[in-house]
Amino acid sequence: MKTSADEQELERRFQQRIEDEQKIEPKDWMPAAYRKNLIRQISQHAHSEVIGMQPEGNFLTRAPSLRRKAVLLSKIQDEAGHGLYLYSAAETLGTPRSELIAALQAGEAKYASIFNYPTQTWGDVGAIGWLVDGAAIVNQISLQRTSYGPYARGMVRICKEESFHQRQGYEIMIALAHGSAEQREMAQDSLNRFYWPALMMFGPHDRESAHSARSMQWKIKRETNDDLRQKFIDQTVPQIAFLGLEHPDSGIRWNEERQHYDHGEIDWNEFYAVINGNGHCNRQRMEHHIRAHEEGAWVRDAIAAHREKRGGRKQQVA
Ligand code: FAQ
């Protein structure tokens, strides 16, 4: 049996490996709290990718051309793939996907707040690719260096695909911004509605962030919520200017001393309302997920039966 002195020594060595920038792999010893925090973050990340298919999926039948439809379809399929890499990474920590999905459907696990906003126009599809995938990449580039090996490696592949998504969204915005007066208006309206929720994707301010201090110490997170948000704000200013659109934040100002843009404050009441289940689409997103999951039960049963028939272990398929 391990004594507390043994445990302390294991923790000391674990932290040393983190300091030495060595990746932690599934079979390595890790503190229970590190494992728990990672399962929480990776599974919420996976849920975001999967729930994130819904707002864009809403426009598949209304894409303005066959080319746009094919591109959007494959982008949404990529998001499903990202969800699968991430569920697999979470499973290496010992929690089966069925449990993670049950926690999502029971409202015990979160997914990114942004996906509780409705897609009302084609401009919103452009804004999602540009701003939502854009914000996701800023975060995920940093997560490529996260301390847990399977998560870090998953991020490398996801970032490559996500940067293509960002460009397809921006290309939609360029077409609209250079189109008719009505299209320009649509682009501006989508920017106005998605800009602030995109900033909320980075989470609460560092001083309010429950998990940041430990996640930074364990190098699960490599940059803080506010630092990543600032990067996104800085990179978005010239992109808005290039489109010739008006910046939705009237407080945006270049600060020569900080070498960053100063900006207005996020409506944190809105953020907390959305993550606590009271956004525009929380109920709809979850009902849709549960319905699709139930309708897919026969596929999972068939896979399990096929495995069993071929002499494999009888196991539930998530
Ligand atoms: N939404 O202590 P912190 C994508 C929760 S992928 C909802 O700061 P942490 C691709 C947080 O979970 C987008 N909940 O938490 C795509 C915690 O609650 P808990 C997803 C949020 O984990 C594009 C509580 O607040 N990306 O978009 C949010 O240290 C287009 C306290 O917060 C990732 O998930 C939020 N915005 O930092 C797909 C990246 N912010 O668990 C389709 C990985 C915070 O105690 C279409 N995740 N909360 O109940 C992360 O980097 C981190 O988890 C943060 C939050 C930065 C999101």
Side-chain angles (χ1 to χ4, degrees):
M1 214 182 83
K2 284 198 186 81
T3 64
S4 72
D6 291 339
E7 284 275 331
Q8 273 176 13
E9 178 54 18
L10 283 167
E11 280 216 43
R12 193 196 61 74
R13 277 195 226 153
F14 173 84
Q15 191 61 39
Q16 191 55 52
R17 287 188 61 191
I18 302 254
E19 301 306 327
D20 294 344
E21 295 291 331
Q22 287 178 30
K23 294 284 177 236
I24 306 301
E25 297 298 337
K27 290 192 174 147
D28 294 343
W29 184 90
M30 59 187 86
Y34 174 88
R35 184 185 299 276
K36 190 171 164 214
N37 194 11
L38 261 181
I39 294 171
R40 179 194 65 83
Q41 178 168 324
I42 301 174
S43 67
Q44 294 191 11
H45 196 165
H47 300 327
S48 306
E49 301 280 356
V50 170
I51 297 287
M53 294 160 71
Q54 292 189 35
E56 287 168 299
N58 189 31
F59 262 83
L60 271 176
T61 53
R62 286 176 284 165
S65 70
L66 182 59
R67 175 179 165 266
R68 292 282 186 209
K69 188 183 180 114
V71 171
L72 184 61
L73 187 59
S74 75
K75 188 244 190 237
I76 295 172
Q77 284 173 339
D78 283 354
E79 307 298 358
H82 298 174
L84 295 185
Y85 309 153
L86 287 160
Y87 283 125
S88 299
E91 283 190 307
T92 64
L93 291 157
T95 313
R97 203 197 310 173
S98 51
E99 251 178 58
L100 302 173
I101 291 174
L104 169 72
Q105 295 186 347
E108 290 154 15
K110 295 189 170 70
Y111 57 87
S113 47
I114 188 85
F115 300 122
N116 292 308
Y117 291 82
T119 30
Q120 296 172 4
T121 66
W122 177 249
D124 292 0
V125 175
I128 290 177
W130 167 34
L131 299 172
V132 177
D133 283 273
I137 300 173
V138 168
N139 188 359
Q140 290 170 165
I141 284 177
S142 169
L143 287 172
Q144 288 178 345
R145 294 184 300 117
T146 191
S147 55
Y148 188 57
Y151 193 21
R153 290 189 287 274
M155 282 301 114
V156 173
R157 185 157 169 188
I158 289 177
C159 278
K160 288 200 174 111
E161 294 179 353
E162 220 85 277
S163 59
F164 165 78
H165 297 169
Q166 197 263 354
R167 276 177 240 167
Q168 70 86 34
Y170 197 60
E171 198 228 331
I172 292 174
M173 294 304 283
I174 291 176
L176 293 176
H178 293 107
S180 64
E182 203 184 350
Q183 286 173 313
R184 260 186 93 72
E185 215 173 282
M186 182 189 280
Q188 183 69 57
D189 174 56
S190 299
L191 167 61
N192 293 349
R193 281 183 292 107
F194 276 87
Y195 180 77
W196 293 102
L199 297 190
M200 295 177 197
M201 288 175 69
F202 296 95
H205 280 314
D206 298 345
R207 58 180 182 274
E208 312 282 343
S209 163
H211 303 289
S212 275
R214 295 214 81 183
S215 292
M216 292 293 286
Q217 184 203 335
W218 283 325
K219 299 191 180 179
I220 291 175
K221 278 167 121 169
R222 303 304 306 246
E223 288 170 90
T224 70
N225 298 0
D226 285 328
D227 286 350
L228 289 169
R229 185 169 18 245
Q230 182 73 61
K231 261 190 195 168
F232 177 73
I233 289 170
D234 291 349
Q235 82 175 29
T236 306
V237 171
Q239 293 170 352
I240 294 174
F242 183 79
L243 292 173
L245 298 179
E246 197 181 313
H247 201 295
D249 180 357
S250 58
I252 202 93
R253 301 263 180 296
W254 177 249
N255 183 323
E256 191 59 34
E257 203 178 310
R258 290 199 313 121
Q259 291 290 301
H260 288 294
Y261 281 93
D262 290 338
H263 51 88
E265 191 52 295
I266 288 169
D267 180 350
W268 293 108
N269 290 332
E270 177 179 321
F271 170 76
Y272 286 110
V274 175
I275 70 169
N276 288 320
N278 299 317
H280 286 285
C281 301
N282 298 58
R283 245 184 58 197
Q284 183 190 335
R285 300 292 185 237
M286 209 39 60
E287 281 170 7
H288 187 79
H289 189 275
I290 292 170
R291 196 168 57 246
H293 193 66
E294 284 170 357
E295 283 173 1
W298 69 271
V299 179
R300 295 189 295 279
D301 291 346
I303 294 170
H306 180 67
R307 270 195 202 150
E308 204 185 344
K309 202 167 147 196
R310 299 191 59 175
R313 266 187 311 131
K314 186 171 184 183
Q315 65 180 81
Q316 199 191 352
V317 180

